Amino acid sequence: MNFVVLGRGSEFGSRCAPGFLSAIGDAVQALSQAKQLHALLVTADLSCHPSLPTKLLRSYANHGDIVSARHLFDQIPHRTVLLWNSLIRAHARCRDFSTAFSFFNQMRRSGVNPDGFTLACVLRACAEHADPFGASMVHGTMISSGLVSDSIAGAALVNSYSKLNFVNDAHQVFDEMPERDLVSWNTMIMCCSYGGNAHKGLELFHGLRESGEKPDGYTFTGLISCLRGSDLACIGEGIHGLCLKEGYTSNCHLRCALVSMYSRCNVLHSASLLFRSLSQVDLVTWSAFITGFSQAGECEESICLFREMMTSSQCAARPDSILIASLLSACATLASIRPCKEIHCFALRVGINSSVSVSCGLIDAYSKCGFAQDGFRIFEMMPRRTLVAYNTVILSMGSNGLGGEAMQTFVAMLNEGLKPDKATFSALLCACCHSGLQMEGRKLFNRMHSEFGVEPEIDHYVYIVKLFGMVGELQEAYDLIQAMPVVPDSGVWGALLWGCSIHGNKELGEIVAKKLYEIEPRKTAYRVMLSNIYAVKEKWGDVKYLRNEIAKEGMHKIPGISWIENINF
DNA sequence: ATAGGGTTAG
């Protein structure tokens, strides 16, 4: 039945039966039809047709006409849950989550109780808005109103907590659910993929099958996204087989997840094989394929693939900021200015150069290619500077010897109200090392935990050991390493050996070198460093012994390589 | 109500 046929009935004016008008509401397809019906509704008695306003509002929302939706809402005195839901969903749909949330609060103040659909919609808004406080508030509402056992609101709560990285809360809600539907299981499996917890994901998959539910495309996509690293390649292949058997491989999301999984598991051959077998490839799948290569260290290949994508007729979609950011990271690894400029120009041409992630990628890539100043200009032009932007520019300043500027930028960042994270302190300590700001570095190392609550990790220790080593406080550095809450790796010991070598400390150097031989027996650089200490002390016998040992084991030091540019690329 | 690709971090 269509609106035109039904519409003839409206010639009878407001004498239409409520049920009849409601049927017209179902048939509304075009925006103009909705407006016609809206006019009719206003002249009639609104309270006669309780479900019609909701249908109309939904129709406006579906056409993206928020203004008319709000106008209609304002005209309706008796607002049901369904009407509120439609309005809240309308705003959530166009990603205006803060308005959606404020309508939720208005709804509660007006005394209308939310249902599962309302809460699901609001929870999504919290996740998208990075608002864990809002999510826990909704959680509280759910407990007090008994909606905590509602399957739709429950699944939405699990999803919201997991997107906000509140994994334990997500788990707890999931565990306490009286009955878990497929959506809840899928959501929980996807939650594992955000944290890369493959073991837990597989365990949940097992639990899902035990429960008698049949996994679907969402399940497999989530499960595949959990896998990372060579060790899991076999499991990935097994799950791929299962997908083939169940007939899910025509699903575009799932195929893309497979391409990405093979790259993450370092099976680029399988990623290529699968990718090349696809008859239709969309932007996201291209992006997964290209990024897979750059993350596996095949950066030149990833740039070549991008060029292939741009010239192939297969991909109708234009590259977006996500792909550009990923390519810029490949340029940074290559330290090659030509592709960097190529990608920058491309971003300018398609107008995504001012995207935050593209700007961050450009700052980093220009810095690593030796053109830090160009990166600083981009930073200055950014209308909105995020934590990542600050971290990137601080690192760029620090690694280009501008320690003082890096410290000033850190202060500016704090003044903007941004909270530093572990990458901020890595960048700052790196800056201190490069500029010899050893007192400043020590202060930062202490402040990071006491003032900002950031726990030092292994790379922070590498820097602080280097800073101690610079001024010859080798014993202090040694004591610090031994008191570390995490097991020191070759990076930390290597930093101390470097300190020993520049200060010619033979005794400590020998102790440290011994530890390094245990951790990395095949790496000759440590033996060379120790032999340099011997050489300074004119212990030629020891030098000869070490050099002989290197030769005897058939080992040789990998020479360092410096190059200006790979001209052919 | 759930899905695929991303930027900084010796």
Side-chain angles (χ1 to χ4, degrees):
Chain A
M1 232 187 272
N2 70 38
F3 183 78
V4 181
V5 174
L6 279 169
R8 296 221 175 99
S10 67
E11 286 158 16
F12 300 104
S14 59
R15 283 204 281 200
C16 296
F20 184 64
L21 269 181
S22 185
I24 296 179
D26 286 331
V28 167
Q29 278 165 6
L31 195 56
S32 57
Q33 293 172 342
K35 293 209 163 148
Q36 256 175 287
L37 190 58
H38 188 166
L40 190 63
L41 190 72
V42 174
T43 57
D45 181 7
L46 291 168
S47 59
C48 289
H49 320 294
S51 71
L52 190 54
T54 309
K55 286 176 183 171
L56 251 181
L57 208 155
R58 223 175 273 170
S59 171
Y60 279 137
N62 287 344
H63 289 98
D65 188 350
I66 280 282
V67 177
S68 300
R70 286 278 285 272
H71 183 60
L72 174 66
F73 185 81
D74 292 338
Q75 288 175 328
I76 298 174
H78 303 291
R79 291 154 184 177
T80 59
V81 190
L82 292 173
L83 191 72
W84 280 105
N85 284 356
S86 299
L87 185 75
I88 293 170
R89 193 176 297 115
H91 284 88
R93 272 192 163 209
C94 42
R95 312 189 68 78
D96 183 0
F97 295 112
S98 52
T99 311
F101 203 88
S102 79
F103 275 119
F104 172 64
N105 286 331
Q106 275 185 44
M107 170 187 183
R108 299 192 57 200
R109 276 200 297 275
S110 77
V112 177
N113 283 327
D115 64 4
F117 289 98
T118 325
L119 297 174
C121 202
V122 172
L123 281 165
R124 203 191 127 130
C126 295
E128 299 271 347
H129 235 229
D131 180 11
F133 181 70
S136 49
M137 240 166 51
V138 176
H139 191 176
T141 312
M142 284 168 71
I143 293 169
S144 61
S145 64
L147 279 165
V148 78
S149 54
D150 180 280
S151 76
I152 291 173
L157 186 61
V158 172
N159 184 43
S160 193
Y161 274 138
S162 66
K163 289 242 172 79
L164 291 163
N165 220 351
F166 282 60
V167 181
N168 293 336
D169 298 77
H171 242 108
Q172 200 185 341
V173 174
F174 179 78
D175 288 340
E176 287 170 2
M177 282 171 101
E179 51 194 76
R180 299 169 191 135
D181 60 5
L182 185 58
V183 175
S184 315
W185 280 105
N186 289 349
T187 305
M188 204 60 230
I189 292 173
M190 280 166 217
C191 173
C192 298
S193 80
Y194 305 141
N197 190 345
H199 180 77
K200 187 75 207 168
L202 289 161
E203 206 176 277
L204 282 162
F205 181 66
H206 186 70
L208 162 70
R209 298 222 283 190
E210 293 260 285
S211 79
E213 288 271 9
K214 192 180 174 307
D216 65 359
Y218 285 80
T219 321
F220 283 111
T221 307
L223 188 60
I224 288 161
S225 307
C226 294
L227 308 174
R228 176 180 294 273
S230 315
D231 296 347
L232 295 170
C234 277
I235 290 177
E237 279 169 5
I239 297 168
H240 186 178
L242 210 53
C243 294
L244 284 164
K245 200 176 123 199
E246 305 281 336
Y248 288 120
T249 44
S250 57
N251 179 325
C252 156
H253 287 250
L254 195 139
R255 289 188 316 201
C256 177
L258 280 168
V259 169
S260 173
M261 178 274 290
Y262 278 122
S263 316
R264 283 195 310 271
C265 296
N266 298 315
V267 197
L268 291 180
H269 173 70
S270 300
S272 295
L273 225 58
L274 180 62
F275 182 81
R276 297 295 177 192
S277 75
L278 303 176
S279 51
Q280 275 194 326
V281 188
D282 68 357
L283 174 65
V284 180
T285 311
W286 261 113
S287 189
F289 190 54
I290 291 171
T291 304
F293 274 84
S294 75
Q295 287 178 348
E298 303 284 337
C299 295
E300 283 191 32
E301 183 59 25
S302 76
I303 308 265
C304 293
L305 284 170
F306 173 63
R307 291 173 185 155
E308 184 194 329
M309 179 188 122
M310 293 310 296
T311 47
S312 89
S313 51
Q314 273 198 7
C315 187
R318 283 184 147 188
D320 61 1
S321 59
I322 293 178
L323 177 54
I324 297 300
S326 169
L327 285 160
L328 286 167
S329 161
C331 296
T333 308
L334 286 169
S336 193
I337 191 66
R338 193 174 175 273
C340 180
K341 283 184 174 171
E342 178 185 331
I343 309 283
H344 187 181
C345 290
F346 183 84
L348 280 163
R349 240 181 6 253
V350 294
I352 49 176
N353 53 306
S354 53
S355 130
V356 173
S357 48
V358 170
S359 299
C360 294
L362 282 168
I363 298 167
D364 185 54
Y366 274 123
S367 166
K368 301 252 165 78
C369 295
F371 295 84
Q373 294 298 335
D374 293 311
F376 299 157
R377 264 210 299 280
I378 288 162
F379 180 74
E380 276 156 23
M381 288 190 304
M382 284 176 82
R384 192 171 62 88
R385 291 161 191 173
T386 59
L387 176 65
V388 175
Y390 270 103
N391 289 351
T392 310
V393 84
I394 289 172
L395 182 73
S396 169
M397 288 165 169
S399 32
N400 286 285
L402 303 169
E405 283 83 347
M407 297 307 141
Q408 283 169 12
T409 310
F410 176 56
V411 174
M413 173 187 158
L414 296 178
N415 288 339
E416 267 199 49
L418 289 165
K419 192 181 167 300
D421 67 355
K422 54 182 177 175
T424 317
F425 289 102
S426 277
L428 286 168
L429 291 170
C430 171
C432 293
C433 278
H434 277 267
S435 302
L437 303 170
Q438 57 97 18
M439 278 313 291
E440 194 69 49
R442 276 186 208 201
K443 275 189 216 151
L444 281 165
F445 188 79
N446 292 328
R447 281 174 77 196
M448 68 183 279
H449 178 68
S450 64
E451 199 175 320
F452 301 101
V454 180
E455 213 60 60
E457 287 179 20
I458 209 109
D459 41 316
H460 303 115
Y461 279 98
V462 172
Y463 289 126
I464 197 74
V465 166
K466 225 171 169 181
L467 285 166
F468 274 122
M470 261 177 208
V471 288
E473 295 184 9
L474 300 167
Q475 190 58 45
E476 287 81 349
Y478 185 65
D479 295 342
L480 184 76
I481 294 177
Q482 293 202 306
M484 268 171 72
V486 278
V487 182
D489 67 352
S490 62
V492 181
W493 288 119
L496 183 55
L497 185 59
W498 171 83
C500 294
S501 77
I502 60 167
H503 288 95
N505 187 327
K506 187 167 85 67
E507 292 69 31
L508 191 57
E510 282 170 342
I511 296 170
V512 175
K514 209 168 277 173
K515 299 223 186 253
L516 282 162
Y517 298 164
E518 281 167 26
I519 303 171
E520 288 197 50
R522 301 294 298 170
K523 200 162 167 183
T524 47
Y526 306 129
R527 287 179 170 80
V528 173
M529 275 163 93
L530 186 62
S531 88
N532 289 344
I533 300 177
Y534 290 142
V536 171
K537 300 270 169 190
E538 300 186 16
K539 303 268 181 203
W540 302 114
D542 292 325
V543 173
K544 202 172 174 195
Y545 174 77
L546 273 177
R547 295 281 169 168
N548 277 342
E549 205 182 27
I550 293 169
K552 193 173 69 197
E553 297 285 320
M555 299 188 284
H556 39 96
K557 186 178 176 297
I558 301 159
I561 310 167
S562 301
W563 72 96
I564 308 291
E565 191 75 66
N566 182 350
I567 293 164
N568 293 324
F569 185 60

